[in-house]
């Protein structure tokens, strides 16, 4: 019998940004993903190229924080992951917390581990896809073989 009530299994693209990687928070982020019940489908430590970052952040081109964002994201390795599970796209964004780490609720990754460093870009530890379309697009950027 087909269960028509179950949400579709989906995949999301998660990045532990260079600040999180440098601070040794990759394990903490992955721990929270697994504790929540999502599955790690692919995992890699990547030195992002300018081209990958331009594609990844295309929607932000022209905004005041765009260049600082690309510079920050180029400042060291990131841990990239494909995660899977029902509702994992909004679910991971809920684990991550609000974009601004000062405002992010305690209990979230950004709320527990992030803060304002007085820089032109928010160094907020993680990225998570915001829709199924973004997830498909971003997975192809970071894991071309899995797209
Ligand atoms: P998200 O990562 O929560 O989806 P987006 O609005 O997609 O947030 O922004 C992408 C990234 O750009 C953020 O995670 C943050 O690092 C940075 N950013 C966003 N808005 C600002 C801002 O107003 N000032 C500085 N940096 C920002
Ligand atoms: Mg975003």
């Amino acid at each position: 019998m087909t269960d028509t009530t179950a949400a579709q299994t989906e995949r999301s693209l998660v990045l532990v940004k260079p600040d999180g990687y440098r601070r040794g928070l990759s394990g903490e982020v992955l721990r929270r993903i697994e504790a929540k019940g999502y599955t790690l489908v692919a995992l890699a430590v990547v030195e992002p190229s300018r081209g990958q970052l331009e594609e990844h952040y295309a929607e932000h081109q022209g905004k005041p924080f765009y260049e600082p964002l690309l510079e920050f994201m180029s400042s060291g390795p990131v841990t990239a992951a494909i995660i899977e599970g029902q509702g994992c796209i909004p679910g991971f964004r809920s684990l991550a917390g609000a974009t601004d780490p000062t405002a992010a609720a305690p209990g979230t990754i950004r709320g527990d581990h992030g803060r304002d460093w007085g820089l032109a870009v928010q160094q907020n530890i993680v990225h998570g896809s915001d829709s199924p379309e973004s997830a498909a697009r971003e997975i192809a950027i970071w894991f071309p073989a899995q797209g």
Side-chain angles (χ1 to χ4, degrees), residues 25-51:
L25 293 172
S26 297
E28 168 67 7
V29 172
L30 298 176
R31 184 195 67 74
R32 287 177 183 234
I33 289 167
E34 290 195 308
K36 182 77 172 174
Y38 301 139
T39 304
L40 296 171
V41 174
L43 198 55
V45 174
V46 183
E47 296 258 15
S49 70
R50 172 88 192 182

Short mmCIF file of all heavy atoms in Angstrom, two decimals, residues 25-51:
data_model
loop_
_atom_site.label_atom_id
_atom_site.label_comp_id
_atom_site.label_asym_id
_atom_site.label_seq_id
_atom_site.Cartn_x
_atom_site.Cartn_y
_atom_site.Cartn_z
N LEU A 25 34.52 23.26 13.90
CA LEU A 25 33.11 23.01 14.17
C LEU A 25 32.45 22.07 13.16
O LEU A 25 31.24 21.83 13.24
CB LEU A 25 32.34 24.35 14.23
CG LEU A 25 32.70 25.25 15.41
CD1 LEU A 25 32.02 26.63 15.27
CD2 LEU A 25 32.29 24.60 16.73
N SER A 26 33.24 21.53 12.20
CA SER A 26 32.62 20.62 11.22
C SER A 26 31.97 19.44 11.94
O SER A 26 30.83 19.06 11.63
CB SER A 26 33.67 20.10 10.22
OG SER A 26 34.21 21.17 9.47
N GLY A 27 32.69 18.85 12.88
CA GLY A 27 32.16 17.69 13.60
C GLY A 27 30.89 18.03 14.36
O GLY A 27 29.93 17.25 14.38
N GLU A 28 30.85 19.20 14.98
CA GLU A 28 29.68 19.64 15.74
C GLU A 28 28.45 19.81 14.82
O GLU A 28 27.34 19.40 15.16
CB GLU A 28 30.00 20.96 16.45
CG GLU A 28 28.84 21.71 17.06
CD GLU A 28 28.18 20.97 18.24
OE1 GLU A 28 28.70 19.93 18.68
OE2 GLU A 28 27.12 21.46 18.68
N VAL A 29 28.69 20.37 13.63
CA VAL A 29 27.58 20.54 12.68
C VAL A 29 27.10 19.18 12.20
O VAL A 29 25.89 18.90 12.17
CB VAL A 29 28.02 21.43 11.49
CG1 VAL A 29 26.96 21.46 10.41
CG2 VAL A 29 28.34 22.85 11.98
N LEU A 30 28.03 18.30 11.85
CA LEU A 30 27.65 16.97 11.37
C LEU A 30 26.96 16.17 12.48
O LEU A 30 26.01 15.42 12.24
CB LEU A 30 28.87 16.21 10.83
CG LEU A 30 29.56 16.88 9.64
CD1 LEU A 30 30.82 16.10 9.25
CD2 LEU A 30 28.63 17.00 8.43
N ARG A 31 27.42 16.35 13.71
CA ARG A 31 26.80 15.67 14.86
C ARG A 31 25.33 16.07 14.97
O ARG A 31 24.44 15.24 15.17
CB ARG A 31 27.53 16.02 16.16
CG ARG A 31 26.98 15.27 17.38
CD ARG A 31 27.45 15.86 18.70
NE ARG A 31 26.91 17.20 18.94
CZ ARG A 31 25.65 17.46 19.31
NH1 ARG A 31 24.77 16.48 19.46
NH2 ARG A 31 25.26 18.71 19.50
N ARG A 32 25.07 17.37 14.83
CA ARG A 32 23.69 17.85 14.95
C ARG A 32 22.82 17.31 13.82
O ARG A 32 21.64 16.99 14.02
CB ARG A 32 23.66 19.38 14.97
CG ARG A 32 24.18 19.97 16.28
CD ARG A 32 24.18 21.48 16.20
NE ARG A 32 24.75 22.10 17.39
CZ ARG A 32 24.12 23.04 18.12
NH1 ARG A 32 22.92 23.46 17.78
NH2 ARG A 32 24.70 23.57 19.16
N ILE A 33 23.39 17.23 12.62
CA ILE A 33 22.64 16.69 11.47
C ILE A 33 22.26 15.24 11.74
O ILE A 33 21.11 14.83 11.55
CB ILE A 33 23.49 16.82 10.18
CG1 ILE A 33 23.57 18.30 9.77
CG2 ILE A 33 22.92 15.96 9.06
CD1 ILE A 33 24.63 18.59 8.71
N GLU A 34 23.22 14.46 12.21
CA GLU A 34 22.95 13.04 12.47
C GLU A 34 22.02 12.87 13.67
O GLU A 34 21.14 12.00 13.67
CB GLU A 34 24.27 12.29 12.67
CG GLU A 34 25.06 12.19 11.37
CD GLU A 34 26.17 11.15 11.45
OE1 GLU A 34 26.97 11.20 12.40
OE2 GLU A 34 26.22 10.29 10.54
N ALA A 35 22.21 13.70 14.71
CA ALA A 35 21.35 13.59 15.90
C ALA A 35 19.90 13.89 15.55
O ALA A 35 18.97 13.32 16.12
CB ALA A 35 21.85 14.54 16.99
N LYS A 36 19.70 14.78 14.57
CA LYS A 36 18.36 15.13 14.12
C LYS A 36 17.72 13.96 13.35
O LYS A 36 16.50 13.89 13.22
CB LYS A 36 18.44 16.38 13.23
CG LYS A 36 17.14 16.92 12.70
CD LYS A 36 16.36 17.68 13.75
CE LYS A 36 15.15 18.37 13.12
NZ LYS A 36 14.31 19.00 14.15
N GLY A 37 18.57 13.08 12.81
CA GLY A 37 18.05 11.92 12.10
C GLY A 37 18.24 11.98 10.60
O GLY A 37 17.72 11.13 9.87
N TYR A 38 18.96 12.98 10.12
CA TYR A 38 19.24 13.05 8.69
C TYR A 38 20.46 12.21 8.36
O TYR A 38 21.33 11.98 9.21
CB TYR A 38 19.46 14.51 8.25
CG TYR A 38 18.27 15.41 8.53
CD1 TYR A 38 18.45 16.71 9.01
CD2 TYR A 38 16.97 14.96 8.34
CE1 TYR A 38 17.36 17.53 9.30
CE2 TYR A 38 15.88 15.77 8.61
CZ TYR A 38 16.08 17.05 9.09
OH TYR A 38 15.00 17.86 9.37
N THR A 39 20.53 11.79 7.11
CA THR A 39 21.61 10.91 6.65
C THR A 39 22.64 11.71 5.87
O THR A 39 22.28 12.59 5.09
CB THR A 39 21.01 9.83 5.72
OG1 THR A 39 19.97 9.16 6.43
CG2 THR A 39 22.05 8.83 5.28
N LEU A 40 23.91 11.39 6.09
CA LEU A 40 24.98 11.98 5.28
C LEU A 40 25.12 11.14 4.01
O LEU A 40 25.37 9.94 4.08
CB LEU A 40 26.30 11.97 6.06
CG LEU A 40 26.33 12.82 7.32
CD1 LEU A 40 27.61 12.56 8.10
CD2 LEU A 40 26.20 14.30 6.98
N VAL A 41 24.93 11.80 2.87
CA VAL A 41 24.98 11.11 1.59
C VAL A 41 26.34 11.30 0.93
O VAL A 41 26.84 10.43 0.22
CB VAL A 41 23.86 11.63 0.66
CG1 VAL A 41 23.96 11.03 -0.73
CG2 VAL A 41 22.50 11.35 1.26
N ALA A 42 26.94 12.47 1.13
CA ALA A 42 28.26 12.76 0.57
C ALA A 42 28.92 13.81 1.45
O ALA A 42 28.23 14.64 2.06
CB ALA A 42 28.14 13.28 -0.86
N LEU A 43 30.24 13.73 1.52
CA LEU A 43 31.00 14.59 2.43
C LEU A 43 32.35 14.90 1.79
O LEU A 43 33.00 14.00 1.27
CB LEU A 43 31.20 13.82 3.73
CG LEU A 43 31.59 14.53 5.00
CD1 LEU A 43 30.60 15.64 5.32
CD2 LEU A 43 31.62 13.51 6.15
N ALA A 44 32.76 16.17 1.84
CA ALA A 44 34.05 16.53 1.27
C ALA A 44 34.57 17.81 1.91
O ALA A 44 33.80 18.67 2.31
CB ALA A 44 33.92 16.75 -0.24
N VAL A 45 35.91 17.90 2.01
CA VAL A 45 36.55 19.16 2.38
C VAL A 45 37.06 19.77 1.08
O VAL A 45 37.78 19.12 0.33
CB VAL A 45 37.69 18.95 3.38
CG1 VAL A 45 38.44 20.24 3.63
CG2 VAL A 45 37.13 18.39 4.69
N VAL A 46 36.60 21.00 0.80
CA VAL A 46 36.83 21.62 -0.50
C VAL A 46 37.42 23.01 -0.32
O VAL A 46 36.98 23.76 0.55
CB VAL A 46 35.48 21.79 -1.26
CG1 VAL A 46 35.70 22.35 -2.64
CG2 VAL A 46 34.72 20.47 -1.32
N GLU A 47 38.40 23.36 -1.13
CA GLU A 47 38.88 24.75 -1.24
C GLU A 47 38.06 25.38 -2.36
O GLU A 47 38.31 25.12 -3.53
CB GLU A 47 40.37 24.78 -1.62
CG GLU A 47 41.29 24.17 -0.59
CD GLU A 47 42.01 25.21 0.26
OE1 GLU A 47 41.59 26.40 0.23
OE2 GLU A 47 42.97 24.83 0.95
N PRO A 48 37.08 26.23 -2.02
CA PRO A 48 36.18 26.72 -3.06
C PRO A 48 36.90 27.57 -4.10
O PRO A 48 37.76 28.39 -3.75
CB PRO A 48 35.18 27.58 -2.29
CG PRO A 48 35.34 27.24 -0.86
CD PRO A 48 36.74 26.77 -0.69
N SER A 49 36.54 27.39 -5.35
CA SER A 49 37.06 28.26 -6.41
C SER A 49 36.15 29.48 -6.51
O SER A 49 34.98 29.45 -6.11
CB SER A 49 37.09 27.53 -7.75
OG SER A 49 35.76 27.32 -8.20
N ARG A 50 36.69 30.55 -7.06
CA ARG A 50 35.89 31.77 -7.28
C ARG A 50 34.64 31.44 -8.12
O ARG A 50 33.54 31.91 -7.84
CB ARG A 50 36.77 32.81 -7.97
CG ARG A 50 36.08 34.07 -8.44
CD ARG A 50 36.04 35.12 -7.36
NE ARG A 50 35.12 36.20 -7.76
CZ ARG A 50 34.89 37.29 -7.06
NH1 ARG A 50 35.51 37.49 -5.93
NH2 ARG A 50 34.03 38.20 -7.48
N GLY A 51 34.82 30.60 -9.13
CA GLY A 51 33.70 30.23 -10.01
C GLY A 51 32.60 29.50 -9.26
O GLY A 51 31.41 29.79 -9.47
#
